[in-house]
Amino acid sequence: MQTAADAGDAATLLAAVPAGRRVALVDPRFVGHVHALRLGLTDPRFPAATVPGALTAQPEARGALLRALHRTAAAVGAGAPVVEPDADPAPEDRTVPGRIAVALEAEGTAVQRPALGSLVAAVPTDPEQQAAAEAGLASVDDEAVRLRNAVKAHDGFFTTYCISPYSRYIARWCARRNLTPNQVTTASLITALIAAGSAATGTRGGYVAAGILLLVSFVLDCTDGQLARYSLQYSTMGAWLDATFDRAKEYAYYAGLAIGAVRGGDDVWVLALGAMVLQACRHVVDFSFNEANHDAVANTSPTAALSDKLDSVGWTVWARRMIVLPIGERWAMIAVLTALTTPRIVFYALLVGCSLAACYTTAGRLLRSLTRRAGRTDRAAQALADLADSGPLAQAVAAVAPGLRGAFTAPAVALLGTLVMIGGALFLPYGSPLTVAAAAVYVVLSGLAVARPLKGALDWLVPPFFRAAEYVTVLVVAARSDVPHAVPVAFGLVSAVAYHHYDTVYRIRGGTGAPPQWLVRTIGGHEGRTALVVVLAAVLTHTSGFTTALTALAVAVALVVLVESIRFWVSSSAPAVHDEGELA
């Protein structure tokens, strides 16, 4: 910390700081809570941020900060205003940090102004203001505010009332011992994997232990986000780890339950894979809808207005959050049913509950899309194209096919392709050349669906249709093969592919774009993998070679995707984010 005599001196001191470091300007008259300064000066997500009397700049905003200081140094030093003569600046904009923040914004640099709520941050200029600021400082416990703000603003009923009242204190305990959110996230994953191992024993004691450990894992899963908010340790990798580990934990637990059930004489692998497919398709509906409307313009919808009206009635908020079966309610249900019943009942409950939730959320999104008047941007269209995960076969068709016109053509063609593929896998003779022909039709229709930019009202349905076609086809083909271990191997293949799709989502959310095209081409795209599985089933009908080939495909996809994903996230220069999240 160094003291500057005036704005010119501040510019000189800041210029001497190494370029890769964050810097801050704080008015020496500042009166406020420590957490107010923490919010304004230590949040890594924004290039520049300010609270009354203080301003910070990350390395990428340092140049703009110095230019603003140099432009205004003479005026500030002379006491002249740096705003228009007829303007009436807010009190915080009369301080040097406030004036610089205004200058930064005028140059085009975004300056974050965090909501302080009851926290005090002021630069008093007379005894009356000084007394008022000190009184506000004494009347508010900033540690209590910090703990309260560590809890996600919009969460499920179970998480809000059964976990967060005490997990926030675990987060504070972790912060005081310099534990990071990523370490807590990893502890949550390890706990869930132990829970899956307990379930895999197939004993009642193992099931009870698994249910308890799954709840402990969820407590830690809540704690990592609360620790990130409490200590402002946001990171791109943290958001990615939190999201992908959630899926890894849940799917590993499904596998543990399936292994335990087999040991007890009940093969439920098809149900386990079905539950995973349903949950993954639910998520891609959420992701696609959100990306399609991320920056929609002229956005109006009577359905959205009704939703906002319902949210103004307290009980409807909780009812609607519970209907969608978010991760807290879902894991609580899984844990209790694991301890008290059988894996088969757990999966039946999951399939019924998630199906009802999927119908509810998808119907609402369809109504919003059909009733809103919004123009989709090029960014949204590109995000949907990336989420579609089209491989070289579909891209080749799209390159030579004429673009199909019509408001609902793309989702209609994608739906038709999905029905042809799933219908062929379900109803045609197993291993029949007709099933391979159905896969060829699916490839062509997949290319036609993405031949034009996905800017239609319902084009966000294209990626979910493709996910359903691929995942369900793998499930059906493996289940109908009557080859030992084919379904467990299919579970591994879908897990690897789903990881790739979640990885794509979080790269887009992190602002770095989708995975490189070479990766998508190498693993074949959705249509290539689907066609390959169908061809393998036709060539290796009812033989152990099918399981071997499926295993090789799963391992190859997992290796390529994991190596590239880990390389990217470890070296990523994406801006720091933290996923406040849809209810997962």
Side-chain angles (χ1 to χ4, degrees), residues 15 33 53 86 97 100 119 179 254 266 360 420 438 498 519 523:
H33 288 102
D86 57 346
I100 299 302
L119 296 174
L179 297 176
Y254 292 175
D266 186 15
Y360 171 77
V420 167
L519 174 66
I523 60 175

Side-chain angles (χ1 to χ4, degrees), residues 456-480:
L458 296 181
D459 284 1
W460 57 270
L461 287 169
V462 171
F465 286 149
F466 289 162
R467 293 300 80 72
E470 179 179 5
Y471 296 166
V472 175
T473 298
V474 173
L475 167 59
V476 171
V477 169
R480 294 187 66 193

Side-chain angles (χ1 to χ4, degrees), residues 128-405:
E128 184 178 344
Q129 291 180 3
Q130 181 80 21
E134 291 176 352
L137 197 62
S139 66
V140 176
D141 182 353
D142 71 337
E143 179 60 20
V145 173
R146 188 182 182 190
L147 270 175
R148 186 169 63 249
N149 291 343
V151 177
K152 189 185 294 185
H154 303 289
D155 224 328
F157 181 88
F158 178 77
T159 304
T160 299
Y161 290 103
C162 299
I163 304 296
S164 293
Y166 58 88
S167 61
R168 69 184 75 182
Y169 295 101
I170 300 176
R172 181 171 67 181
W173 183 90
C174 293
R176 290 177 175 176
R177 283 152 184 81
N178 296 320
L179 297 176
T180 67
N182 291 351
Q183 290 171 333
V184 178
T185 301
T186 303
S188 176
L189 173 66
I190 293 171
T191 305
L193 293 179
I194 296 173
S198 299
T201 63
T203 64
R204 178 52 51 194
Y207 289 150
V208 172
I212 294 171
L213 287 169
L214 188 65
L215 289 177
V216 173
S217 174
F218 182 64
V219 171
L220 293 173
D221 184 55
C222 295
T223 300
D224 63 2
Q226 291 167 357
L227 174 59
R229 286 181 285 273
Y230 180 85
S231 57
L232 299 178
Q233 296 183 72
Y234 301 109
S235 69
T236 303
M237 178 176 285
W240 169 72
L241 285 178
D242 187 50
T244 55
F245 279 11
D246 278 350
R247 305 289 77 78
K249 288 180 285 189
E250 191 164 4
Y251 300 160
Y253 193 81
Y254 292 175
L257 282 175
I259 293 170
V262 170
R263 287 187 170 180
D266 186 15
D267 191 341
V268 296
W269 272 108
V270 170
L271 295 178
L273 181 50
M276 182 172 73
V277 167
L278 179 56
Q279 191 58 31
C281 289
R282 280 187 63 197
H283 280 142
V284 79
V285 168
D286 295 340
F287 298 145
S288 294
F289 179 81
N290 290 338
E291 288 303 326
N293 297 283
H294 176 77
D295 50 3
V297 295
N299 185 3
T300 60
S301 169
T303 307
L306 175 61
S307 178
D308 293 340
K309 186 175 181 180
L310 287 173
D311 280 345
S312 66
V313 182
W315 69 269
T316 66
V317 175
W318 295 118
R320 294 170 69 211
R321 290 185 189 176
M322 293 173 71
I323 287 172
V324 302
L325 204 64
I327 190 169
E329 277 75 358
R330 192 167 69 250
W331 282 27
M333 180 184 75
I334 294 171
V336 171
L337 291 178
T338 298
L340 301 179
T341 65
T342 65
R344 181 172 290 273
I345 293 176
V346 173
F347 287 124
Y348 281 154
L350 270 172
L351 288 168
V352 171
C354 290
S355 295
L356 293 174
C359 290
Y360 171 77
T361 54
T362 304
R365 287 177 166 84
L366 285 170
L367 287 173
R368 289 190 183 206
S369 299
L370 292 171
T371 57
R372 73 180 11 159
R373 297 181 179 87
R376 268 67 182 194
T377 63
D378 291 337
R379 177 202 175 281
Q382 183 59 53
L384 291 180
D386 293 334
L387 290 174
D389 192 33
S390 299
L393 297 178
Q395 290 175 359
V397 172
V400 299
L404 299 177
R405 299 186 179 276

Side-chain angles (χ1 to χ4, degrees), residues 251 276 471 490-502 523 529 553-559 561-562:
Y251 300 160
M276 182 172 73
Y471 296 166
F491 188 98
L493 174 59
V494 173
S495 298
V497 175
Y499 176 90
H500 163 61
H501 291 143
Y502 282 109
I523 60 175
R529 291 186 299 269
L553 177 60
V555 170
V557 171
L559 283 177
V561 167
L562 281 171

